[in-house]
Amino acid sequence: MKEKDGEAVMAGQRDVNRLLRAARLERHQTQQQIVADLADHADRLFSAGKTAKRVTVSVRQYSKWESGMPPWPHGDMRRILEDFFGRNMAELGFTPPCPVDDAAPAAPPLITGTPAEAPAGATVPTVGQRPPRLAPGGPDTGGKRWCISEQEVELLRGAADDMDAQDQQFGGVRLWRPTRAHLMWVHRMIDNGTYDDHLENQLHAVRGKFTTSLGWFCYDAGLQSEARHYFAEALNAATFTSDDALASRTLSNMARQAVDLPGRGREAIRCARLAQAHAREWGAPPRVEALLAIREAQGHASVGDTFSCEASIQRAWARWETGPTTRDPDWTTFLNEAELTCLEGMCRLDLKQHRRAQRLLAHSEKIQDIPHSRNRAMCLGRLSVAALASRDLDQTIAAATESLHLIQRGMTSTRASQQLRIVSKGLTPYLRSRGVRELTEQIREFA
């Protein structure tokens, strides 16, 4: 009986991090009091430049640290705890989640070559193949714990940024496959890895970033149902993690897609307005507000509501002209003067204001920079449509030819190609005019 009683005592002791609890009791403080003092100490270290971020901790989190199996705090939090208590992590009862040499399983190969170059049993998608849905699965870790590091998460975050930048210059047709491969790997990390609460938040943020980007790339590649699927996944992820910024970005993407889908103009308006509601929740900077306002304007234009469209355009420019801030998220950097001018021109085109649209689109394509070549190609296609509606055949041919040159040089946006096919069809009555037949033949070949 005594042995059993002793075992019970030992089991009870294992349910508590006795070292951290003792360090707190030495100060004669409750958990609430120690958390308040930790917050003040964290602010002092941040002001002194000793931590990279302003760190906060909740009573719930601190309570987990005093449990029998305390989670491993992230780097800045470890520095704060050690400095506050004057003891190292081991002396505070913490153990790293795994040994330093506990390697993660190798990442799956990204197949970019021909079927002959692929590993046995691998399937290589063709250009027209639709992306399959994400399937559950996990890496074989050989029985070891797979410890996720901050460096791994940072590499994935950088990869997501790189893909977004490539989309801006070259389009999304060649990006949805590698993005989906990265997203599957993030899912495996979340489902099978070992990490603390801080890294868990980062992993879910990276998952949301890849998911909404994957939806956008599918949209740009003309895979509309797949795009809507991934946008819905991203929106679910935003709801699950209370990430209002991700919700704003995803709903902005959904609004843009809805404008291009038949009969979805009112859906675009609803998405843009819901995105604005989420933006208010996280105090979004003016450039985000400008983007969401022009998304709403495009929805109004697609249903022919001139008055509401004008109001939204004015609001977009007013917020954009307040200038950039250090809080601007990376997904708004594409909204330069050229792009906002182009988006307004697209609104004018949908409202049948052809001459005005032509002037705006012509100005936009002239001032757009090389890193946003895909947007310039889109602008040139719309300019060609507007010029054709204005019976300006010379500008129609010039704009379509320049857009075609961008495609021939490697820009892969299906949306841009679709605009050229619209122009080619509209040029049918003018086949005897100089340069028209040659242009339509090139569009059929390359777009």
Side-chain angles (χ1 to χ4, degrees):
M1 179 68 69
K2 289 183 180 180
E3 288 181 359
K4 290 183 179 179
D5 291 342
E7 288 174 1
V9 171
M10 291 294 291
Q13 289 177 341
R14 283 198 297 270
D15 291 336
V16 178
N17 179 351
R18 290 174 296 143
L19 295 177
L20 182 62
R21 185 171 181 270
R24 171 175 62 81
L25 293 178
E26 284 178 11
R27 294 170 173 263
H28 305 288
Q29 289 182 306
T30 64
Q31 289 186 351
Q32 289 84 356
Q33 291 169 334
I34 206 78
V35 163
D37 284 355
L38 274 171
D40 292 340
H41 194 72
D43 285 342
R44 286 193 292 272
L45 291 183
F46 177 76
S47 299
K50 294 182 179 180
T51 57
K53 299 178 181 178
R54 191 180 296 277
V55 177
T56 59
V57 61
S58 65
V59 175
R60 178 174 175 271
Q61 178 62 63
Y62 186 87
S63 179
K64 289 183 179 180
W65 290 336
E66 285 200 4
S67 70
M69 295 185 65
W72 183 248
H74 62 83
D76 281 340
M77 196 68 243
R78 293 197 300 272
R79 195 170 299 112
I80 292 164
L81 287 169
E82 289 179 338
D83 194 74
F84 181 79
F85 287 108
R87 305 174 190 182
N88 63 36
M89 296 305 289
E91 292 170 334
L92 292 173
F94 291 94
T95 304
C98 57
V100 175
D101 61 350
D102 191 4
L110 295 185
I111 303 166
T112 57
T114 64
E117 298 168 327
T123 57
V124 181
T126 61
V127 171
Q129 184 177 335
R130 295 178 180 274
R133 304 292 191 240
L134 292 175
D140 181 7
T141 60
K144 293 183 178 180
R145 286 185 295 175
W146 177 15
C147 296
I148 308 302
S149 70
E150 292 190 36
Q151 290 81 1
E152 289 177 276
V153 179
E154 187 57 39
L155 279 172
L156 285 165
R157 187 183 295 110
D161 291 339
D162 288 346
M163 288 175 180
D164 287 339
Q166 290 179 57
D167 167 64
Q168 287 296 319
Q169 187 164 357
F170 300 110
V173 172
R174 295 194 180 116
L175 289 173
W176 66 258
R177 297 181 192 85
T179 302
R180 181 179 174 273
H182 281 77
L183 179 57
M184 289 181 68
W185 193 244
V186 174
H187 274 265
R188 291 184 176 191
M189 293 170 75
I190 291 172
D191 293 340
N192 298 281
T194 300
Y195 41 81
D196 58 25
D197 289 350
H198 174 69
L199 272 182
E200 179 180 13
N201 292 335
Q202 290 193 51
L203 280 168
H204 282 291
V206 170
R207 179 188 66 158
K209 190 180 183 75
F210 272 122
T211 306
T212 198
S213 291
L214 178 53
W216 180 266
F217 301 155
C218 288
Y219 159 57
D220 195 53
L223 304 171
Q224 303 304 338
S225 63
E226 285 74 14
R228 288 172 72 84
H229 169 79
Y230 289 119
F231 287 150
E233 269 200 19
L235 204 54
N236 286 338
T239 301
F240 177 74
T241 58
S242 301
D243 190 340
D244 288 299
L246 175 60
S248 299
R249 180 188 180 187
T250 302
L251 286 161
S252 171
N253 290 342
M254 294 171 72
R256 180 66 191 89
Q257 183 197 26
V259 170
D260 280 355
L261 299 177
R264 303 273 187 173
R266 297 197 181 279
E267 179 183 314
I269 297 168
R270 289 195 298 272
C271 286
R273 287 177 173 172
L274 185 55
Q276 291 169 54
H278 280 282
R280 287 190 289 272
E281 289 296 318
W282 61 284
R287 286 291 165 92
V288 172
E289 296 175 315
L291 173 61
L292 301 181
I294 201 65
R295 293 292 190 236
E296 183 180 344
Q298 290 184 283
H300 290 306
S302 69
V303 298
D305 186 347
T306 303
F307 180 81
S308 298
C309 181
E310 291 282 359
S312 296
I313 288 173
Q314 290 178 19
R315 189 168 76 253
W317 277 109
R319 300 309 293 149
W320 188 87
E321 287 171 350
T322 61
T325 72
T326 56
R327 296 181 56 241
D328 292 345
D330 52 11
W331 46 270
T332 61
T333 55
F334 79 98
L335 193 67
N336 53 21
E337 180 185 354
E339 180 61 11
L340 189 53
T341 302
C342 177
L343 294 174
E344 180 184 350
M346 291 164 63
C347 290
R348 304 296 179 189
L349 183 58
D350 287 345
L351 292 171
K352 308 283 192 276
Q353 299 173 4
H354 299 132
R355 291 288 186 186
R356 192 170 183 182
Q358 188 178 350
R359 289 194 297 271
L360 287 165
L361 294 166
H363 176 63
S364 172
E365 74 90 6
K366 281 184 172 59
I367 63 175
Q368 186 61 277
D369 54 20
I370 291 175
H372 299 95
S373 293
R374 194 275 312 280
N375 291 349
R376 181 168 178 255
M378 286 292 301
C379 183
L380 285 162
R382 301 281 182 164
L383 172 58
S384 187
V385 172
L388 185 59
S390 301
R391 299 184 183 278
D392 185 344
L393 202 57
D394 288 341
Q395 188 161 54
T396 299
I397 295 172
T401 300
E402 182 57 27
S403 181
L404 189 62
H405 287 166
L406 289 173
I407 292 173
Q408 291 170 327
R409 290 196 290 266
M411 199 277 299
T412 63
S413 171
T414 298
R415 291 186 297 148
S417 297
Q418 287 171 342
Q419 288 300 308
L420 289 181
R421 289 194 286 271
I422 291 171
V423 172
S424 179
K425 185 177 179 180
L427 285 171
T428 302
Y430 305 96
L431 288 177
R432 293 186 178 181
S433 299
R434 182 167 56 89
V436 171
R437 187 176 296 277
E438 292 82 359
L439 174 62
T440 56
E441 289 176 354
Q442 289 182 27
I443 291 174
R444 279 196 297 271
E445 182 179 356
F446 292 102

